[in-house]
Amino acid sequence: QEGIARLVAEPQVRWARASESDFDADYAILNAEERERAGRFRYELHRKRWVFARGWLRRSLGAVLGMRSEAIEFSVGSLGKP
């Protein structure tokens, strides 16, 4: 809980650029449902942006919570949002 309290108390904005190797690394930590969702994007650019964002979210939460990125599970509401 300490990590979450720090994250909420000290919000940060970060910019990042992704490369092909980043995409591969981020794709590797997605679960099966996330990979399926990524595959439904019509345009490759949108797919890559989504994979990078979800990978960043998983890595960031994993670091704050002290968990492996792959072990994080998201629940989804009725509108499909985490």
Side-chain angles (χ1 to χ4, degrees):
Q1 292 294 340
E2 180 180 311
I4 293 175
R6 183 185 56 180
L7 185 63
V8 172
E10 302 171 20
Q12 299 177 8
V13 175
R14 296 181 185 252
W15 294 93
R17 290 184 182 256
S19 66
E20 281 300 316
S21 62
D22 293 328
F23 175 82
D24 293 340
D26 289 335
Y27 190 83
I29 64 174
L30 301 181
N31 66 28
E33 291 175 18
E34 291 168 327
R35 290 178 184 183
E36 181 182 328
R37 181 174 175 179
R40 291 194 305 260
F41 281 91
R42 181 175 182 180
Y43 300 106
E44 183 177 3
L45 173 65
H46 298 159
R47 178 177 28 261
K48 287 184 175 184
R49 285 179 180 170
W50 189 86
V51 168
F52 178 71
R54 185 52 66 110
W56 180 87
L57 177 62
R58 284 183 162 280
R59 286 190 315 277
S60 298
L61 289 174
V64 169
L65 299 173
M67 296 175 62
R68 288 183 21 255
S69 301
E70 301 88 347
I72 295 173
E73 294 183 27
F74 296 101
S75 60
V76 180
S78 62
L79 297 177
K81 304 292 183 185

